[in-house]
Amino acid sequence: QVQFVESGGGLVQPGGRLTLSCTASGFAFSRAAMAWYRQSPGKERERVASISNTGGSAIYSGPFEGRFTISRDNDKTQVSLRMDSLEPEDTAVYYCNRIQNERPAYDVWGQGTQVTVSS
C-alpha cells in the first residue's frame, strides 16, 4: 500500500530554519516525481515544491521566494524540504505525495508534520 511518513517539523522562531523529511513506500519511488504540500487553518492545501524522479529538475511555488529547497534520495525513498528564513505565515502541516499532471497522484496522505513559526 502507498504510504508517506513525514517528520522534522517543530517550533521555530521567525528567521529560523527546519528540514523536513518524507519516507515513501508502496510505489516505484525512483520513477515518481514528488512534491511537498502544506495546509494551514482556514486555507486550502497548496503545493510548495516539486522535484522530478531523478532530482534533475525542481519547481517552487512563487510565494516561497527561493527560501525553500527540495531534494531527494532515491536509495532511501526519501524527499526532503529545507526551509530557511521561516515566517509565521509558514505555519502549517506539511505533507508529501507523488505528483502527476500538476496534482497529487494518490488520495493517500501521511500524518503530516507540524511546523509552527512563532516568537
Side-chain angles (χ1 to χ4, degrees):
Q1 61 284 313
V2 174
Q3 290 187 158
F4 303 100
V5 180
E6 300 94 345
S7 63
L11 175 64
V12 64
Q13 295 185 7
R17 63 181 61 179
L18 285 172
T19 298
L20 310 182
S21 180
C22 166
T23 301
S25 60
F27 61 96
F29 183 85
S30 63
R31 293 182 177 272
M34 296 292 296
W36 280 96
Y37 300 83
R38 73 181 188 185
Q39 186 168 29
S40 58
K43 299 182 65 177
E44 295 184 349
R45 182 180 60 237
E46 63 179 336
R47 186 175 70 245
V48 176
S50 61
I51 186 169
S52 64
N53 63 322
T54 64
S57 179
I59 300 175
Y60 301 90
S61 298
F64 299 103
E65 303 175 358
R67 295 182 296 117
F68 292 6
T69 302
I70 189 171
S71 62
R72 67 189 296 158
D73 186 334
N74 285 350
D75 289 337
K76 298 180 179 179
T77 66
Q78 289 184 344
V79 59
S80 299
L81 183 70
R82 176 183 173 182
M83 306 184 295
D84 299 313
S85 301
L86 285 164
E87 305 168 354
E89 293 74 19
D90 295 318
T91 296
V93 179
Y94 287 72
Y95 303 89
C96 65
N97 208 314
R98 183 177 189 174
I99 185 169
Q100 194 165 27
N101 299 319
E102 302 294 325
R103 58 215 314 153
Y106 302 116
D107 189 20
V108 177
W109 300 89
Q111 82 287 355
T113 185
Q114 175 73 52
V115 173
T116 302
V117 185
S118 176
S119 61

